Amino acid sequence: MTNTTNNQKQLVLVTGGSGFIAVHIILQLLQQGYAVRTTVRSLKRIDNIKEDLQNSGIKNFDDLSFVEADLSSDKNWDMATDGATYVIHVASPTPKLNFKNPDEMIRPAVDGLLRVYRAARDAGVKRVVLTSAYGAVFAGHKNRQTPYTEEDWSNLDAKNIHPYQISKTMSEKAAWKFIEEEGNGMEMAAVNPVGVMGPVLSAKYSHSNVQIQQMLEGKIKSLPNVDSGYVDVRDVASLHILAMTSPKAAGQRFLATTGETLSMMDVANILRNAFPKYADNLPTKTIPNFVVKIAAKFNPNLRMIATIVGGYAETSDKKATTMLGWTHRSAKEAIIATAQSMIDLGIVK
């Protein structure tokens, strides 16, 4: 079996094609002349994906194909990986905010990943690039004073660590273990993005940027004291493709970060300056940390925020920029692009 399609283009499987990061990866792969196959949980999502890509200038879909496959089932993963040179594994189970048992988040993440990796290995895939997360790097570290790097792993023994961060850490660790013990020479690289911003491609957008919409609409009156890195989705996509093609990237993790750290109030202030028309809607108050922690006991939506308020969040972009020659926009540019796209598409009411 050769790892090319009929027109001799290298085939890349991108899992979870309707996601925010995945669509941008598919877009750049098509622009660079790859054939792309993507998985969707339901074939009803195909039109949404095509709409996103058309909005970005893709006119011809001859090099794009779809397979219905779900991380919770073995069905069709052999078909999805068949003939692929590379797999970019972006799909992950939707995080449950109101879980009763942490295993509800952790098990599906690990099991789904191993399903994809087994199918990729059996199909003779050369390299898998895993979309991991900053959550697999920073959580559970106390009194940190130096920027987080790819050498860091979340501390799963820490008391106050959210199951979402545990699921991201355990699934990435399971991936590396699989490569080492059962990979049969298949290569791997991981990309660990901080908060992903950047242009939303259609009104059926991912929920990763819902906080920007809510701020602009005046739905958020005050903000928790949470620092974060932010990175543009277009740069996250380009880093995945560098991690896929660069010989140096095999066996490596890469933080997708600009190396800047912003508070949520910094984000609000960037929006205030860039979009004066919405200035009166934007929050000006910060919620004390202890208030967030108490509120989280009663509101499951605040549980993850409560574990990171007041926490250290500096990161380094050095490895990706020096090893792979990756370049990125500023965090400010990414945040403005998110808001501008939402305004242009009529998402902000």
Side-chain angles (χ1 to χ4, degrees), residues 82-309:
D82 183 38
T85 304
Y86 302 107
V87 172
I88 301 183
H89 180 38
V90 195
S92 72
T94 310
K96 274 188 172 177
L97 291 171
N98 207 354
F99 54 87
K100 295 191 171 53
N101 178 334
D103 271 350
E104 285 175 48
M105 286 179 90
I106 298 160
R107 280 294 1 136
V110 174
D111 294 347
L113 177 138
L114 291 174
R115 245 181 209 107
V116 174
Y117 271 55
R118 280 188 204 106
R121 174 201 59 198
D122 295 348
V125 164
K126 180 184 176 188
R127 183 181 295 178
V128 180
V129 178
L130 171 65
T131 310
S132 184
Y134 174 55
V137 173
F138 83 95
H141 294 280
K142 273 210 158 74
N143 308 322
R144 181 73 182 210
Q145 287 169 348
T146 52
Y148 289 105
T149 73
E150 292 78 1
E151 299 297 311
D152 292 303
W153 284 91
S154 289
N155 172 15
L156 299 184
D157 297 326
K159 258 196 210 133
N160 198 11
I161 178 167
H162 192 272
Y164 176 70
Q165 325 292 13
I166 298 173
S167 75
K168 286 296 182 190
T169 309
M170 286 182 68
S171 51
E172 189 190 334
K173 286 195 163 179
W176 289 114
K177 184 169 187 248
F178 178 90
I179 290 292
E180 191 183 332
E181 295 178 2
E182 304 172 57
N184 291 359
M186 183 168 76
E187 296 173 348
M188 173 181 161
V191 175
N192 300 65
V194 291
V196 182
M197 292 283 168
V200 167
L201 301 181
S202 79
K204 303 175 185 77
Y205 67 104
S206 116
H207 290 288
S208 52
N209 292 325
V210 76
Q211 62 178 13
I212 299 293
Q213 177 192 356
Q214 288 174 338
M215 279 195 208
L216 291 169
E217 290 179 347
K219 289 181 178 160
I220 297 177
K221 301 301 178 202
S222 46
L223 295 166
N225 171 29
V226 172
D227 286 353
S228 181
Y230 293 96
V231 64
D232 194 293
V233 67
R234 293 165 290 187
D235 302 326
V236 175
S238 72
L239 182 53
H240 277 80
I241 297 170
L242 287 169
M244 177 181 96
T245 54
S246 168
K248 293 179 193 165
Q252 302 291 337
R253 314 168 83 197
F254 298 97
L255 266 171
T257 176
T258 67
E260 304 161 90
T261 309
L262 302 177
S263 68
M264 289 183 82
M265 191 57 74
D266 291 333
V267 175
N269 290 335
I270 286 168
L271 295 173
R272 208 182 321 278
N273 292 330
F275 304 98
K277 186 178 145 191
Y278 295 90
D280 290 347
N281 291 351
L282 289 155
T284 53
K285 292 193 186 80
T286 303
I287 311 167
N289 297 348
F290 76 92
V291 174
V292 177
K293 288 176 178 176
I294 292 167
K297 292 188 169 121
F298 308 99
N299 182 348
N301 295 334
L302 293 173
R303 278 184 203 156
M304 190 149 78
I305 292 278
T307 66
I308 56 175
V309 287

Side-chain angles (χ1 to χ4, degrees), residues 7-10 27-36 63:
N7 58 2
Q8 299 304 301
K9 291 186 170 191
Q10 284 186 317
L27 172 64
Q28 290 185 23
L29 287 168
L30 291 172
Q31 288 169 335
Q32 291 179 33
Y34 289 93
V36 180
D63 287 331

Side-chain angles (χ1 to χ4, degrees), residues 14-18 38-46 49 66-70:
V14 179
T15 66
S18 60
T38 188
T39 62
V40 283
R41 274 187 289 225
S42 158
L43 296 176
K44 292 177 187 152
R45 307 302 290 271
I46 291 176
I49 296 169
F66 297 84
V67 173
E68 192 170 45
D70 192 305

